[in-house]
Amino acid sequence: MDTKVFDMKDIDIAWCPGCGNFPILKTLKRALAELHIKPADLVLVSGIGQAAKIPHYFRANFFNGLHGRALPAATAIKAANPALTVIAESGDGDMYGEGGNHFIHTIRRNPNITNIVHNNMVYGLTKGQASPTSQQGFVTPVQVGGVFLEPFNPIAVAIALDASFVARAFSGDIEHTTGILKKAVEHKGYALVDIFQPCVSFNKLNTVQWFEEYTYKLEDHDPTNRLKAFEKATEAERLPLGVFYTSPPKSTFEKNIGTDGENQASLYERTPDMKKLHDLIKTFGFLP
Ligand SMILES: Cc1ncc(C[n+]2csc(CCOP(=O)(O)OP(=O)(O)O)c2C)c(N)n1
Ligand code: SF4
Ligand SMILES: [Mg+2]
């Protein structure tokens, strides 16, 4: 399938020239086109930030909600219509900071969605404050003496929570990132893809050269070995890229909430029993 099906006509893209969001946009289109996923069957869900603008530049269904709240919306969309391919996509601040609680509990719920995080280690949209993944020593207009907290490690946290699929990529490597995104979208269950991305305007520490120097690709790594995956996730000298971990198969949120009962229809296809609903609300004492 041609990636052009995902192109929006006549739009202004409000990213700085050289921003790592451009190759991520291109890579995602390529991965989905290679998987033959049609725009009508796709939903992109995001929060707020530079990364969260991705759905504005992508021809597909989308929901752009509150800061940090992409994951619960994506979980609900998938539960209502499991036939859709649902991708929750935002920045490191949005997903790991404001949305940190949702990050933890979405992993536990295991909806069959892909969670892409554009990790530029900074709050880009609000002009350069530290994010949860900012490196120690990173100087910003707010953290004037440099960040003193240890960075949040999303890969290690996801593996600790037995996330169904955990991977990391680099926006500058389109070939490698396309392969990882395809695996993540095809995976049955929650799939995290953290993508390192340079922010050329507000992160002068983690540049393209920095990512090239301090990352390497996982080789001969068995992603079903959880302890080894955790060991790889906590390496600090050079940061591995690739699929760290895949859990043993487990049931998804949308399966667990009971569409397997008497009524097999997806939630969006069902007609609510208004009388039953009315009677239920009445038991709360709100209605006359
Ligand atoms: C509740 C709330 N708090 C704060 C903000 C301000 N705000 C907008 S984007 C953003 C940071 C986004 O950073 P990140 O998710 O890393 O995305 P990036 O811009 O770096 O891609 C913040 C703090 C907001 N819009 N809503
Ligand atoms: S501020 Fe940073 S993240 Fe935002 S568009 Fe510019 S380079 Fe990209
Ligand atoms: Mg960011």
Side-chain angles (χ1 to χ4, degrees):
M1 206 166 90
D2 198 317
T3 58
K4 284 196 176 71
V5 297
F6 299 120
D7 289 350
M8 296 286 283
K9 303 273 176 294
D10 304 324
I11 47 155
D12 284 332
I13 295 196
W15 290 327
C16 312
C19 174
N21 282 317
F22 286 104
I24 297 180
L25 176 63
K26 188 173 169 181
T27 309
L28 183 63
K29 285 182 182 175
R30 188 171 145 187
L32 293 168
E34 286 181 17
L35 292 174
H36 301 282
I37 293 171
K38 298 189 194 87
D41 299 329
L42 175 67
V43 191
L44 301 179
V45 187
S46 70
I48 302 293
Q50 299 284 21
K53 293 175 187 168
I54 274 259
H56 304 187
Y57 309 144
F58 210 107
R59 191 172 154 264
N61 303 294
F62 81 91
F63 182 85
N64 183 198
L66 294 173
H67 199 24
R69 307 293 178 238
L71 286 172
T75 303
I77 291 166
K78 185 70 184 179
N81 188 353
L84 293 169
T85 297
V86 180
I87 297 180
E89 184 157 8
S90 265
D92 44 317
D94 191 85
M95 288 289 184
Y96 305 142
E98 284 77 4
N101 192 27
H102 295 307
F103 176 64
I104 291 169
H105 297 290
T106 304
I107 292 174
R108 293 181 55 239
R109 290 187 180 113
N110 195 38
N112 183 12
I113 65 171
T114 307
N115 184 185
I116 300 173
V117 184
H118 302 216
N119 186 357
N120 55 11
M121 304 176 179
V122 71
Y123 278 179
L125 187 71
T126 46
K127 300 189 188 294
Q129 304 83 2
S131 85
T133 54
S134 292
Q135 304 258 291
Q136 280 180 316
F138 180 54
V139 177
T140 83
V142 178
Q143 289 78 21
V144 288
V147 171
F148 54 82
L149 299 178
E150 265 191 51
F152 178 71
N153 184 335
I155 303 293
V157 170
I159 296 167
L161 290 166
D162 201 36
S164 179
F165 179 102
V166 184
R168 182 160 59 203
F170 168 50
S171 63
D173 191 337
I174 290 188
E175 215 52 48
H176 188 242
T177 308
T178 304
I180 289 177
L181 284 176
K182 281 170 72 177
K183 281 187 192 155
V185 172
E186 283 195 305
H187 181 83
K188 294 277 168 289
Y190 170 88
L192 171 68
V193 186
D194 181 274
I195 307 183
F196 284 150
Q197 170 228 325
C199 167
V200 293
S201 296
F202 296 110
N203 188 342
K204 307 285 185 193
L205 177 63
N206 308 106
T207 58
V208 172
Q209 293 70 29
W210 187 93
F211 285 119
E212 281 169 357
E213 192 174 337
Y214 288 102
T215 61
Y216 75 96
K217 283 186 197 143
L218 284 171
E219 269 169 31
D220 300 324
H221 170 68
D222 172 10
T224 64
N225 184 336
R226 194 170 175 199
L227 285 180
K228 196 79 197 153
F230 195 75
E231 209 176 278
K232 286 282 165 200
T234 48
E235 282 182 9
E237 225 160 86
R238 288 180 77 218
L239 305 166
L241 305 174
V243 180
F244 285 75
Y245 181 62
T246 52
S247 76
K250 49 178 151 182
S251 190
T252 59
F253 177 75
E254 53 278 13
K255 270 246 171 266
N256 291 339
I257 57 167
T259 41
D260 279 349
E262 243 173 66
N263 188 347
Q264 294 277 316
S266 298
L267 294 181
Y268 85 101
E269 290 172 316
R270 299 184 189 187
T271 313
D273 183 339
M274 295 312 283
K275 164 124 183 36
K276 215 169 165 183
L277 195 60
H278 183 270
D279 291 348
L280 175 71
I281 296 172
K282 220 171 164 185
T283 62
F284 302 147
F286 302 142
L287 294 175

